[in-house]
Amino acid sequence: MAIVACACGSTAASGSAAPYPTSTPVAAASPATPAPSPTKLSDPNTSDLVCGVLSANSVTSGQGSGPNTFELRPATSVRTGTVNSARFGGWVSADRPALGGYVCVWLGQGAPMSGFRSQVRVGESGYIAEMLPNLFTLPAGCAYVARPASDPDQVSVRWQFDCGTTANRDARGALGPAFTKQGWTVCSSGLANQTWRQSSSRLTVSEGAGGAGGFPVLTQLFVYTPGGAGCG
């Protein structure tokens, strides 16, 4: 899957995507000095709020490259839901976070990449605390551990989760009832993993390795299958 210039994907992540922030009120100004319009940074018709791990631009030459260009990988779009990644340029702020940090930014639509407009910080309207799988909520007693990570294939994202020592020994069994209740259907099952589908979303539960840090894993595969038949 090619890295996109602006976020695109399936249905918004369950419990993760906040609505677009409304226009920020501005102080009254005299007719001679009108206040600037805040929609230049937050207009959903021309911009998208995207959150993810700030990464170096994987395009090093030609179209889509250049100084101060970055990627969010993996990334969550408020406008369209979870996506693989987003490339953008123009972030030259002195307080720009270091690579590897989780950030939320307003990106202006453009080609061959989006353009940086502003950062949304923790506690500000629109900030997404973390990226979560599309259409799925962990059952009570389970929680995600660490941050999501992009697989080397760059078409999937992985989350470690913890349901407790006993349940972690059978992660497929622990999550199965929640998948069924939330409208998912099993489309394949292996020795140590099980894949569920709902619409165009695919989530695979993989048993953990055991021991310290050997948590089970959820993997989201960004593949669209027309009609939702099979696992694709």
Side-chain angles (χ1 to χ4, degrees):
M1 177 177 293
I3 294 177
V4 294
C6 60
C8 58
S10 52
T11 312
S14 173
S16 65
Y20 272 98
T22 57
S23 297
T24 303
V26 294
S30 67
T33 56
S37 171
T39 59
K40 289 182 179 179
L41 296 181
S42 58
D43 182 359
N45 295 317
T46 61
S47 305
D48 191 11
L49 178 60
V50 184
C51 299
V53 178
L54 186 65
S55 305
N57 187 6
S58 61
V59 178
T60 57
S61 63
Q63 191 176 47
S65 64
N68 299 309
T69 58
F70 303 93
E71 294 175 6
L72 297 181
R73 189 176 60 246
T76 301
S77 160
V78 172
R79 179 168 57 86
T80 59
T82 303
V83 296
N84 179 30
S85 64
R87 180 180 297 119
F88 64 98
W91 196 353
V92 296
S93 307
D95 60 348
R96 184 184 67 217
L99 296 181
Y102 181 85
V103 298
C104 290
V105 292
W106 278 104
L107 301 179
Q109 299 174 23
M113 69 182 78
S114 300
F116 174 81
R117 292 197 168 182
S118 66
Q119 181 179 3
V120 178
R121 302 179 186 278
V122 177
E124 295 179 345
S125 179
Y127 184 86
I128 303 174
E130 272 295 355
M131 181 164 122
L132 300 176
N134 289 353
L135 307 174
F136 182 70
T137 301
L138 285 175
C142 298
Y144 292 106
V145 293
R147 283 185 174 139
S150 178
D151 272 356
D153 58 18
Q154 295 192 356
V155 295
S156 59
V157 177
R158 304 169 71 251
W159 295 262
Q160 290 182 305
F161 64 94
D162 183 6
C163 293
T165 303
T166 300
N168 284 351
R169 296 193 184 102
D170 181 17
R172 291 168 295 175
L175 266 57
F179 272 110
T180 300
K181 184 177 181 179
Q182 295 174 41
W184 293 76
T185 302
V186 174
C187 57
S188 71
S189 187
L191 181 63
N193 57 71
Q194 188 173 57
T195 300
W196 295 77
R197 66 175 173 85
Q198 182 176 170
S199 185
S200 61
S201 294
R202 304 290 181 271
L203 277 174
T204 298
V205 184
S206 300
E207 302 293 345
F215 297 104
V217 173
L218 266 178
T219 302
Q220 175 108 45
L221 179 64
F222 298 104
V223 174
Y224 175 71
T225 304
C231 285

